């Protein structure tokens, strides 16, 4: 027997004896796949248990702070169109009366009413509790924005934004929560911003006040879930409102250029999405593809309200982080280019 023959017969013997071992990795793979499929099916079977029952807006009482303008007014209209009773809360009485008239145009039955109360949500709110009566859904939308470089924003503006955007959501929520817990039902909505998911140039005062809402929402949701009350945090992009127009008058170029990435939305489009998510009891409400990516990417330890949402987060997170790194690179280069341009302008001014 030549040495070549010997070698091939050894391999054949080896293959014959051990061939089924070769299949082992495939068998294991099949078993793992079967387990995953069974697990996902099981999750879907129990999903009705973790998804809240949708809120019936028809006949419900919805309170909207910041309801006299922009996104808040659009939310009020969207709820009114679905048969809700509305209370609008803001400071300026004339604007409130005007908004009330606009909302009333969308009535679907003659029992519906729109009330308004002039309250500054950033100062204590406890007296308002009795006036309001039972509330099915509270929309915390009153808010304002200030942009500018960190050292150029006056110190008291940092405080003001926390008072209006953050504490202005705490006080109204405190006013309605006890009754909601007693009735074992309700929805609380916080209108944050995409700038509450990503810290960016020009928003050193604004972003923290919007990030804070997310922390409040997560903590509160864990407390009140057993009472069948669901919290929604909305993270809209730039939206075409009077507030946005005002903000644009003094917005740094960098902030404008970076924000443009996510585009500008219309308030009624934003309101539709937010109201749908609040009715369904979704914790997270995002607008547009960038909003979707940002929410999946920054979900952290936030509560999950559907199996599909959880699975999507698991599958997409790594991919979205990869995309985010490119975005961050482009934002850094916007900031660097603007800085160089400013310095060149300054130098040119000096030589003149
Ligand atoms: N527009 C945008 O690009 C985006 C906005 N957002 C957020 O959405 C919310 C609404 O924004 P937008 O519609 O643009 O704003 P607007 O400026 O158009 O409207 C703000 C509303 O809040 C009320 N409000 C402001 N301060 C107080 C206060 N202290 N007490 C009671 N009511 C108050 C205003 O009425 P009054 O002044 O009479 O009190 C008005 O009704 C804000 O929280 C904002 O941060 C988030 C992402 C994007
Ligand atoms: C995978 C990762 C995707 C990343 C996408 C990043 C997009 C960032 C855009 C940030 C826009 C911030 C808008 C703030 C609007 C606002 O709150 C003010 N206009 C209020 O008046």
């Amino acid at each position: 027997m030549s040495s070549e023959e010997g070698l091939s017969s050894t391999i054949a013997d080896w293959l014959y004896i051990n061939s089924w071992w070769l299949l082992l990795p495939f068998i294991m793979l099949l078993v793992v796949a079967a387990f995953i499929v069974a697990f996902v099916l099981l999750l879907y079977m129990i999903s009705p248990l973790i998804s809240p029952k949708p809120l019936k807006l028809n006949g419900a009482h919805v309170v909207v702070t910041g309801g006299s303008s922009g996104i808040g007014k659009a939310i009020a209209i969207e709820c009114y169109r679905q048969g809700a009773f509305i209370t609008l809360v803001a400071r300026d009485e004339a604007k409130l009366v005007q908004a009330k008239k606009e909302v009333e145009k969308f009535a679907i039955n003659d029992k519906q009413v729109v009330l308004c109360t002039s309250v500054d949500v950033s100062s204590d709110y406890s007296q308002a509790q009795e006036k309001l009566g039972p509330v099915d859904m509270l929309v915390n939308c009153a808010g304002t924005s200030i942009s500018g470089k960190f050292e150029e924003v006056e110190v008291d503006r940092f405080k003001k934004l926390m008072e209006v955007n953050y504490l202005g959501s705490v006080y109204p929520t405190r006013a309605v929560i006890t009754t909601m817990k007693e009735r074992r039902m309700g929805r609380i909505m916080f209108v944050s911003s995409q700038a509450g998911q990503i810290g960016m140039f020009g928003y050193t005062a604004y972003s923290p006040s919007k990030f804070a809402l997310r922390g409040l929402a997560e903590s509160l949701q864990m407390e009140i879930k057993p009472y069948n009350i669901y919290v929604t945090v909305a993270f809209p992009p730039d939206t075409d409102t009077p507030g946005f127009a005002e903000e644009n008058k003094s917005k740094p170029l960098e902030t404008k250029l970076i924000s443009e990435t996510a585009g500008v939305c219309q308030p009624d489009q934003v309101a539709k999405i937010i109201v749908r998510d609040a009715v369904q009891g979704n914790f997270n409400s995002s607008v547009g593809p960038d909003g979707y990516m940002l929410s999946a990417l920054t979900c952290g330890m936030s509560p999950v309200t559907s199996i599909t949402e959880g699975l999507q987060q698991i599958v997409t997170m790594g991919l979205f982080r990869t995309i985010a790194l490119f975005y961050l690179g482009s934002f850094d280069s916007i900031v660097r280019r603007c800085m160089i341009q400013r310095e060149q302008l300054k130098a040119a001014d000096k030589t003149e």
Side-chain angles (χ1 to χ4, degrees), residues 65-72 89-93 95-96 119-122 140-145 164-165 191-194 206 210 235-244 247:
T65 76
S68 67
S69 169
I71 299 176
V89 180
R91 292 162 305 174
D92 188 322
E93 302 239 11
K95 265 198 319 189
L96 275 170
V119 177
D120 182 343
V121 290
S122 66
N140 288 295
C141 189
T144 184
S145 128
V164 179
N165 295 354
V191 179
S192 176
S193 159
Q194 281 188 359
Y206 178 71
K210 292 296 183 183
F235 300 100
D238 276 339
T239 306
D240 185 12
T241 65
F244 180 58
E247 175 193 40

Side-chain angles (χ1 to χ4, degrees), residues 71 143-146 192-196 198 200 203 206-207 210 236-239 241 243-245 247-248 251 255 257-263 289-295 297 319-325 327-328 331:
I71 299 176
T144 184
S145 128
I146 294 161
S192 176
S193 159
Q194 281 188 359
I198 161 177
M200 53 180 264
Y203 280 146
Y206 178 71
S207 265
K210 292 296 183 183
D238 276 339
T239 306
T241 65
F244 180 58
E247 175 193 40
N248 274 339
K251 211 186 231 175
T255 315
L257 293 173
I258 294 170
S259 299
E260 271 169 16
T261 313
D290 290 296
Y292 173 78
M293 288 198 284
L294 267 177
S295 287
L297 191 59
L319 172 70
F320 288 170
R321 179 61 180 160
T322 315
I323 298 172
L325 295 182
Y327 273 98
L328 286 174
F331 297 163

